[in-house]
mmCIF file of all heavy atoms in Angstrom:
data_model
loop_
_atom_site.group_PDB
_atom_site.id
_atom_site.type_symbol
_atom_site.label_atom_id
_atom_site.label_comp_id
_atom_site.label_asym_id
_atom_site.label_seq_id
_atom_site.Cartn_x
_atom_site.Cartn_y
_atom_site.Cartn_z
ATOM 1 N N TYR A 292 104.348 29.827 203.071
ATOM 2 C CA TYR A 292 104.512 29.858 201.668
ATOM 3 C C TYR A 292 105.140 28.664 201.112
ATOM 4 O O TYR A 292 104.627 28.123 200.095
ATOM 5 C CB TYR A 292 105.434 31.170 201.344
ATOM 6 C CG TYR A 292 105.524 31.333 199.818
ATOM 7 C CD1 TYR A 292 104.762 32.339 199.219
ATOM 8 C CD2 TYR A 292 106.655 30.765 199.163
ATOM 9 C CE1 TYR A 292 105.003 32.637 197.918
ATOM 10 C CE2 TYR A 292 106.829 31.093 197.741
ATOM 11 C CZ TYR A 292 105.961 32.020 197.198
ATOM 12 O OH TYR A 292 106.168 32.351 195.860
ATOM 13 N N GLY A 293 106.191 28.138 201.797
ATOM 14 C CA GLY A 293 106.855 26.890 201.260
ATOM 15 C C GLY A 293 106.054 25.760 201.123
ATOM 16 O O GLY A 293 106.011 24.902 200.237
ATOM 17 N N TYR A 294 105.165 25.454 202.248
ATOM 18 C CA TYR A 294 104.377 24.329 202.402
ATOM 19 C C TYR A 294 103.368 24.446 201.201
ATOM 20 O O TYR A 294 103.060 23.332 200.579
ATOM 21 C CB TYR A 294 103.716 24.277 203.788
ATOM 22 C CG TYR A 294 102.758 23.023 204.004
ATOM 23 C CD1 TYR A 294 103.486 21.838 204.215
ATOM 24 C CD2 TYR A 294 101.386 23.139 203.668
ATOM 25 C CE1 TYR A 294 102.677 20.742 204.468
ATOM 26 C CE2 TYR A 294 100.694 21.931 203.920
ATOM 27 C CZ TYR A 294 101.336 20.642 204.191
ATOM 28 O OH TYR A 294 100.474 19.583 204.396
ATOM 29 N N GLN A 295 102.685 25.534 200.959
ATOM 30 C CA GLN A 295 101.634 25.553 199.861
ATOM 31 C C GLN A 295 102.344 25.384 198.533
ATOM 32 O O GLN A 295 101.705 24.824 197.572
ATOM 33 C CB GLN A 295 101.022 26.978 200.029
ATOM 34 C CG GLN A 295 100.101 26.969 201.221
ATOM 35 C CD GLN A 295 99.301 28.353 201.276
ATOM 36 O OE1 GLN A 295 98.584 28.688 200.396
ATOM 37 N NE2 GLN A 295 99.560 29.125 202.331
ATOM 38 N N LEU A 296 103.698 25.842 198.359
ATOM 39 C CA LEU A 296 104.240 25.769 197.050
ATOM 40 C C LEU A 296 104.470 24.257 196.852
ATOM 41 O O LEU A 296 104.349 23.762 195.640
ATOM 42 C CB LEU A 296 105.683 26.505 197.180
ATOM 43 C CG LEU A 296 106.565 26.092 195.918
ATOM 44 C CD1 LEU A 296 105.920 26.635 194.592
ATOM 45 C CD2 LEU A 296 107.930 26.915 196.157
ATOM 46 N N LEU A 297 105.045 23.329 197.970
ATOM 47 C CA LEU A 297 105.121 22.031 197.667
ATOM 48 C C LEU A 297 103.822 21.250 197.378
ATOM 49 O O LEU A 297 103.830 20.360 196.497
ATOM 50 C CB LEU A 297 105.800 21.386 198.854
ATOM 51 C CG LEU A 297 107.153 21.721 199.240
ATOM 52 C CD1 LEU A 297 107.780 20.881 200.338
ATOM 53 C CD2 LEU A 297 108.176 21.604 198.035
ATOM 54 N N LYS A 298 102.775 21.699 197.899
ATOM 55 C CA LYS A 298 101.536 21.170 197.710
ATOM 56 C C LYS A 298 101.060 21.432 196.273
ATOM 57 O O LYS A 298 100.599 20.545 195.534
ATOM 58 C CB LYS A 298 100.517 21.876 198.739
ATOM 59 C CG LYS A 298 99.014 21.136 198.600
ATOM 60 C CD LYS A 298 98.237 21.743 199.700
ATOM 61 C CE LYS A 298 96.876 21.042 199.793
ATOM 62 N NZ LYS A 298 96.062 21.572 200.896
ATOM 63 N N TYR A 299 101.405 22.612 195.805
ATOM 64 C CA TYR A 299 100.997 22.985 194.472
ATOM 65 C C TYR A 299 101.784 22.154 193.406
ATOM 66 O O TYR A 299 101.337 21.553 192.418
ATOM 67 C CB TYR A 299 101.231 24.411 194.127
ATOM 68 C CG TYR A 299 101.246 24.878 192.688
ATOM 69 C CD1 TYR A 299 100.021 24.983 192.033
ATOM 70 C CD2 TYR A 299 102.318 25.158 191.925
ATOM 71 C CE1 TYR A 299 99.863 25.235 190.708
ATOM 72 C CE2 TYR A 299 102.257 25.437 190.680
ATOM 73 C CZ TYR A 299 100.925 25.556 189.971
ATOM 74 O OH TYR A 299 100.896 25.901 188.657
ATOM 75 N N ILE A 300 103.148 21.926 193.682
ATOM 76 C CA ILE A 300 103.968 21.145 192.828
ATOM 77 C C ILE A 300 103.512 19.768 192.784
ATOM 78 O O ILE A 300 103.445 19.164 191.606
ATOM 79 C CB ILE A 300 105.405 21.162 193.436
ATOM 80 C CG1 ILE A 300 106.040 22.518 193.348
ATOM 81 C CG2 ILE A 300 106.222 20.193 192.647
ATOM 82 C CD1 ILE A 300 107.448 22.656 194.101
ATOM 83 N N LEU A 301 103.026 19.201 193.784
ATOM 84 C CA LEU A 301 102.555 17.838 193.764
ATOM 85 C C LEU A 301 101.156 17.582 193.290
ATOM 86 O O LEU A 301 100.719 16.491 193.014
ATOM 87 C CB LEU A 301 102.642 17.214 195.187
ATOM 88 C CG LEU A 301 104.144 17.069 195.805
ATOM 89 C CD1 LEU A 301 104.063 16.834 197.210
ATOM 90 C CD2 LEU A 301 104.916 16.068 194.985
ATOM 91 N N ASP A 302 100.450 18.655 193.296
ATOM 92 C CA ASP A 302 98.968 18.610 192.774
ATOM 93 C C ASP A 302 99.010 18.496 191.153
ATOM 94 O O ASP A 302 98.866 19.472 190.515
ATOM 95 C CB ASP A 302 98.187 19.835 193.247
ATOM 96 C CG ASP A 302 96.752 19.734 192.817
ATOM 97 O OD1 ASP A 302 96.316 18.613 192.505
ATOM 98 O OD2 ASP A 302 96.062 20.879 192.973
ATOM 99 N N GLY A 303 99.194 17.284 190.764
ATOM 100 C CA GLY A 303 99.082 17.195 189.286
ATOM 101 C C GLY A 303 99.863 15.995 188.719
ATOM 102 O O GLY A 303 99.311 15.065 188.278
ATOM 103 N N PRO A 304 101.234 15.950 188.982
ATOM 104 C CA PRO A 304 102.123 16.948 189.473
ATOM 105 C C PRO A 304 102.624 17.917 188.356
ATOM 106 O O PRO A 304 102.254 17.740 187.249
ATOM 107 C CB PRO A 304 103.293 16.085 189.958
ATOM 108 C CG PRO A 304 103.347 14.820 189.047
ATOM 109 C CD PRO A 304 101.829 14.513 188.710
ATOM 110 N N LYS A 305 103.313 18.877 188.817
ATOM 111 C CA LYS A 305 103.755 19.889 187.764
ATOM 112 C C LYS A 305 105.127 19.538 187.229
ATOM 113 O O LYS A 305 105.973 18.709 187.774
ATOM 114 C CB LYS A 305 103.963 21.281 188.500
ATOM 115 C CG LYS A 305 102.719 21.626 189.235
ATOM 116 C CD LYS A 305 101.538 21.877 188.253
ATOM 117 C CE LYS A 305 100.216 22.219 188.997
ATOM 118 N NZ LYS A 305 99.686 21.472 190.041
ATOM 119 N N GLN A 306 105.495 20.068 186.074
ATOM 120 C CA GLN A 306 106.751 19.827 185.470
ATOM 121 C C GLN A 306 107.822 20.716 186.161
ATOM 122 O O GLN A 306 107.754 22.018 186.143
ATOM 123 C CB GLN A 306 106.695 20.092 183.970
ATOM 124 C CG GLN A 306 105.831 19.143 183.152
ATOM 125 C CD GLN A 306 106.524 17.818 183.244
ATOM 126 O OE1 GLN A 306 107.694 17.623 183.084
ATOM 127 N NE2 GLN A 306 105.765 16.688 183.371
ATOM 128 N N LEU A 307 108.739 20.190 186.775
ATOM 129 C CA LEU A 307 109.663 20.941 187.618
ATOM 130 C C LEU A 307 110.562 21.803 186.621
ATOM 131 O O LEU A 307 110.954 23.035 187.124
ATOM 132 C CB LEU A 307 110.598 20.036 188.383
ATOM 133 C CG LEU A 307 110.058 19.064 189.372
ATOM 134 C CD1 LEU A 307 110.956 18.063 190.012
ATOM 135 C CD2 LEU A 307 109.460 19.924 190.405
ATOM 136 N N PHE A 308 110.869 21.260 185.358
ATOM 137 C CA PHE A 308 111.606 22.188 184.563
ATOM 138 C C PHE A 308 110.941 23.463 184.096
ATOM 139 O O PHE A 308 111.543 24.450 184.098
ATOM 140 C CB PHE A 308 111.927 21.404 183.192
ATOM 141 C CG PHE A 308 112.467 22.250 182.162
ATOM 142 C CD1 PHE A 308 113.728 22.795 182.148
ATOM 143 C CD2 PHE A 308 111.685 22.622 181.097
ATOM 144 C CE1 PHE A 308 114.260 23.499 181.138
ATOM 145 C CE2 PHE A 308 112.158 23.503 180.110
ATOM 146 C CZ PHE A 308 113.489 23.958 180.041
ATOM 147 N N ALA A 309 109.690 23.352 184.031
ATOM 148 C CA ALA A 309 108.800 24.667 183.654
ATOM 149 C C ALA A 309 108.879 25.509 184.822
ATOM 150 O O ALA A 309 108.973 26.697 184.734
ATOM 151 C CB ALA A 309 107.445 24.288 183.185
ATOM 152 N N LEU A 310 108.761 24.973 186.054
ATOM 153 C CA LEU A 310 108.618 25.898 187.221
ATOM 154 C C LEU A 310 109.966 26.538 187.430
ATOM 155 O O LEU A 310 110.138 27.663 188.060
ATOM 156 C CB LEU A 310 108.371 25.043 188.408
ATOM 157 C CG LEU A 310 106.896 24.270 188.511
ATOM 158 C CD1 LEU A 310 106.784 23.509 189.785
ATOM 159 C CD2 LEU A 310 105.889 25.283 188.307
ATOM 160 N N GLY A 311 111.079 25.844 187.002
ATOM 161 C CA GLY A 311 112.442 26.421 187.254
ATOM 162 C C GLY A 311 112.902 27.416 186.278
ATOM 163 O O GLY A 311 114.038 27.905 186.329
ATOM 164 N N GLN A 312 112.030 27.808 185.231
ATOM 165 C CA GLN A 312 112.515 28.775 184.309
ATOM 166 C C GLN A 312 112.691 30.185 185.028
ATOM 167 O O GLN A 312 111.863 30.580 185.906
ATOM 168 C CB GLN A 312 111.453 29.006 183.194
ATOM 169 C CG GLN A 312 111.331 27.781 182.426
ATOM 170 C CD GLN A 312 112.663 27.407 181.774
ATOM 171 O OE1 GLN A 312 113.327 28.298 181.034
ATOM 172 N NE2 GLN A 312 112.892 26.106 181.728
ATOM 173 N N GLY A 313 113.894 30.722 184.678
ATOM 174 C CA GLY A 313 114.193 32.062 185.393
ATOM 175 C C GLY A 313 115.180 31.867 186.477
ATOM 176 O O GLY A 313 115.844 32.861 186.930
ATOM 177 N N TYR A 314 115.456 30.614 186.949
ATOM 178 C CA TYR A 314 116.469 30.481 187.987
ATOM 179 C C TYR A 314 117.891 30.035 187.515
ATOM 180 O O TYR A 314 118.781 29.956 188.291
ATOM 181 C CB TYR A 314 115.866 29.276 188.894
ATOM 182 C CG TYR A 314 114.734 29.669 189.725
ATOM 183 C CD1 TYR A 314 113.421 29.642 189.392
ATOM 184 C CD2 TYR A 314 114.955 30.278 191.056
ATOM 185 C CE1 TYR A 314 112.359 30.058 190.174
ATOM 186 C CE2 TYR A 314 113.918 30.687 191.832
ATOM 187 C CZ TYR A 314 112.732 30.517 191.463
ATOM 188 O OH TYR A 314 111.537 30.951 192.224
ATOM 189 N N THR A 315 117.894 29.926 186.176
ATOM 190 C CA THR A 315 119.355 29.712 185.571
ATOM 191 C C THR A 315 119.253 30.103 184.153
ATOM 192 O O THR A 315 118.351 30.169 183.510
ATOM 193 C CB THR A 315 119.831 28.195 185.712
ATOM 194 O OG1 THR A 315 121.035 28.111 185.149
ATOM 195 C CG2 THR A 315 118.635 27.389 184.997
ATOM 196 N N ARG A 316 120.512 30.476 183.615
ATOM 197 C CA ARG A 316 120.597 30.801 182.274
ATOM 198 C C ARG A 316 120.792 29.641 181.353
ATOM 199 O O ARG A 316 120.517 29.646 180.156
ATOM 200 C CB ARG A 316 121.803 31.755 182.137
ATOM 201 C CG ARG A 316 121.632 33.081 182.667
ATOM 202 C CD ARG A 316 122.780 34.040 182.349
ATOM 203 N NE ARG A 316 122.572 35.478 182.929
ATOM 204 C CZ ARG A 316 123.447 36.352 182.878
ATOM 205 N NH1 ARG A 316 124.530 36.221 182.148
ATOM 206 N NH2 ARG A 316 123.200 37.469 183.524
ATOM 207 N N SER A 317 120.977 28.473 181.983
ATOM 208 C CA SER A 317 121.196 27.199 181.231
ATOM 209 C C SER A 317 119.981 26.715 180.702
ATOM 210 O O SER A 317 118.814 26.990 181.336
ATOM 211 C CB SER A 317 121.739 26.121 182.243
ATOM 212 O OG SER A 317 121.784 24.882 181.612
ATOM 213 N N ASN A 318 119.881 26.180 179.451
ATOM 214 C CA ASN A 318 118.760 25.582 178.996
ATOM 215 C C ASN A 318 118.583 23.990 179.213
ATOM 216 O O ASN A 318 117.587 23.434 178.730
ATOM 217 C CB ASN A 318 118.681 25.863 177.451
ATOM 218 C CG ASN A 318 119.862 25.220 176.772
ATOM 219 O OD1 ASN A 318 120.606 24.675 177.343
ATOM 220 N ND2 ASN A 318 119.874 25.503 175.492
ATOM 221 N N LYS A 319 119.272 23.563 180.111
ATOM 222 C CA LYS A 319 119.197 22.073 180.502
ATOM 223 C C LYS A 319 118.232 21.918 181.656
ATOM 224 O O LYS A 319 118.092 22.642 182.607
ATOM 225 C CB LYS A 319 120.560 21.631 180.977
ATOM 226 C CG LYS A 319 121.648 21.643 180.039
ATOM 227 C CD LYS A 319 123.079 21.125 180.600
ATOM 228 C CE LYS A 319 124.061 21.219 179.536
ATOM 229 N NZ LYS A 319 125.403 20.537 180.050
ATOM 230 N N PHE A 320 117.440 20.876 181.423
ATOM 231 C CA PHE A 320 116.413 20.617 182.464
ATOM 232 C C PHE A 320 116.895 20.300 183.865
ATOM 233 O O PHE A 320 116.479 20.881 184.847
ATOM 234 C CB PHE A 320 115.665 19.306 182.016
ATOM 235 C CG PHE A 320 114.680 19.547 180.913
ATOM 236 C CD1 PHE A 320 114.597 20.692 180.068
ATOM 237 C CD2 PHE A 320 113.689 18.508 180.777
ATOM 238 C CE1 PHE A 320 113.753 20.602 179.048
ATOM 239 C CE2 PHE A 320 112.658 18.758 179.749
ATOM 240 C CZ PHE A 320 112.738 19.869 178.927
ATOM 241 N N LYS A 321 118.169 19.729 183.821
ATOM 242 C CA LYS A 321 118.783 19.369 185.006
ATOM 243 C C LYS A 321 119.097 20.571 185.827
ATOM 244 O O LYS A 321 118.848 20.747 186.997
ATOM 245 C CB LYS A 321 120.039 18.544 184.777
ATOM 246 C CG LYS A 321 120.937 18.383 186.017
ATOM 247 C CD LYS A 321 122.149 17.340 185.565
ATOM 248 C CE LYS A 321 123.070 17.049 186.703
ATOM 249 N NZ LYS A 321 123.675 18.391 187.279
ATOM 250 N N ASP A 322 119.877 21.627 185.165
ATOM 251 C CA ASP A 322 120.235 22.786 185.823
ATOM 252 C C ASP A 322 118.985 23.702 186.340
ATOM 253 O O ASP A 322 119.068 24.307 187.316
ATOM 254 C CB ASP A 322 120.920 23.613 184.935
ATOM 255 C CG ASP A 322 122.218 22.979 184.415
ATOM 256 O OD1 ASP A 322 122.732 22.175 185.260
ATOM 257 O OD2 ASP A 322 122.894 23.392 183.475
ATOM 258 N N ALA A 323 117.945 23.670 185.474
ATOM 259 C CA ALA A 323 116.658 24.469 185.901
ATOM 260 C C ALA A 323 116.080 23.903 187.190
ATOM 261 O O ALA A 323 115.722 24.626 188.071
ATOM 262 C CB ALA A 323 115.647 24.454 184.824
ATOM 263 N N ILE A 324 116.001 22.607 187.243
ATOM 264 C CA ILE A 324 115.509 21.917 188.498
ATOM 265 C C ILE A 324 116.306 22.029 189.626
ATOM 266 O O ILE A 324 115.785 22.426 190.706
ATOM 267 C CB ILE A 324 115.229 20.334 188.242
ATOM 268 C CG1 ILE A 324 114.161 20.135 187.124
ATOM 269 C CG2 ILE A 324 114.780 19.658 189.511
ATOM 270 C CD1 ILE A 324 114.017 18.816 186.642
ATOM 271 N N GLU A 325 117.564 21.929 189.513
ATOM 272 C CA GLU A 325 118.465 22.187 190.699
ATOM 273 C C GLU A 325 118.325 23.522 191.140
ATOM 274 O O GLU A 325 118.403 23.660 192.479
ATOM 275 C CB GLU A 325 119.967 21.891 190.106
ATOM 276 C CG GLU A 325 120.309 20.315 190.017
ATOM 277 C CD GLU A 325 121.796 20.100 189.739
ATOM 278 O OE1 GLU A 325 122.385 21.051 189.144
ATOM 279 O OE2 GLU A 325 122.235 18.992 190.116
ATOM 280 N N SER A 326 118.358 24.471 190.272
ATOM 281 C CA SER A 326 118.410 25.889 190.648
ATOM 282 C C SER A 326 117.046 26.245 191.429
ATOM 283 O O SER A 326 116.957 26.862 192.445
ATOM 284 C CB SER A 326 118.580 26.802 189.528
ATOM 285 O OG SER A 326 119.899 26.585 188.998
ATOM 286 N N PHE A 327 115.907 25.670 190.905
ATOM 287 C CA PHE A 327 114.657 25.932 191.564
ATOM 288 C C PHE A 327 114.562 25.365 192.958
ATOM 289 O O PHE A 327 114.166 26.047 193.708
ATOM 290 C CB PHE A 327 113.565 25.390 190.569
ATOM 291 C CG PHE A 327 112.197 25.427 191.114
ATOM 292 C CD1 PHE A 327 111.520 26.664 191.157
ATOM 293 C CD2 PHE A 327 111.516 24.419 191.716
ATOM 294 C CE1 PHE A 327 110.185 26.817 191.731
ATOM 295 C CE2 PHE A 327 110.228 24.419 192.159
ATOM 296 C CZ PHE A 327 109.624 25.612 192.330
#
């Protein structure tokens, strides 16, 4: 699962902040990425 997830993140690449939504209540990009 994890290997395919990294491959998906890099295929584009994707916006890490968007992927990190739901992992923290903070609305800061930094916090969302760290939590993800």
Side-chain angles (χ1 to χ4, degrees):
Y292 185 92
Y294 183 77
Q295 292 183 60
L296 174 59
L297 291 188
K298 188 174 182 180
Y299 170 76
I300 292 172
L301 295 169
D302 183 18
K305 307 300 181 299
Q306 290 297 318
L307 295 176
F308 168 71
L310 299 180
Q312 294 304 308
Y314 285 90
T315 178
R316 294 183 179 180
S317 171
N318 59 3
K319 294 180 179 180
F320 284 18
K321 174 180 179 296
D322 295 340
I324 294 173
E325 283 185 336
S326 297
F327 176 74

